[in-house]
Amino acid sequence: MSCLTDSIIRSKLRELNGWEFDSNTIKKTFTFSRYMDGISFVMKLAEKAETADHHPDIVIGWCRVEVSFTSHDKGGVTEKCLYMAKETDKIKK
């Protein structure tokens, strides 16, 4: 699976709510009303990432979780990154 061009990434992100593209990474910050809701979200995302064999970088803060995807071995955003962005949004719902 190869990296997508910047224009394709930006086009595909229009179909997703709140995801941004910067420095060969797509990212989004999710907010929660309780800290432990964010932790629960991270656990569900970790399970999905393990199943898909595509793991995000995650930053956990007070009632917020920043999730970013890139293909470290390919050096940019791939279709699998976009797939995982969609799956991450499903987990949050």
Side-chain angles (χ1 to χ4, degrees):
M1 186 172 293
S2 61
C3 292
L4 302 173
T5 65
D6 289 6
S7 61
I8 290 174
I9 295 165
R10 292 183 198 289
S11 174
K12 299 258 187 188
L13 286 183
R14 287 188 202 110
E15 301 168 15
L16 299 172
N17 185 29
W19 287 88
E20 300 173 356
F21 173 60
D22 185 41
S23 302
N24 292 323
T25 301
I26 58 173
K27 62 184 174 182
K28 181 175 179 177
T29 299
F30 296 86
T31 58
F32 302 87
S33 58
R34 296 179 328 126
Y35 178 77
M36 290 308 295
D37 292 340
I39 299 302
S40 176
F41 167 77
V42 168
M43 292 300 296
K44 291 174 187 171
L45 176 54
E47 289 175 10
K48 181 65 180 181
E50 189 66 15
T51 300
D53 194 29
H54 197 64
H55 305 87
D57 291 321
I58 300 171
V59 177
I60 301 170
W62 176 252
C63 295
R64 67 170 183 72
V65 175
E66 181 181 302
V67 178
S68 59
F69 287 99
T70 190
S71 178
H72 297 287
D73 59 332
K74 302 288 183 188
V77 176
T78 64
E79 284 289 345
K80 206 165 193 180
C81 296
L82 294 169
Y83 165 78
M84 284 301 298
K86 289 178 190 175
E87 293 300 307
T88 303
D89 282 343
K90 288 179 188 176
I91 293 168
K92 176 59 167 97
K93 289 185 179 178

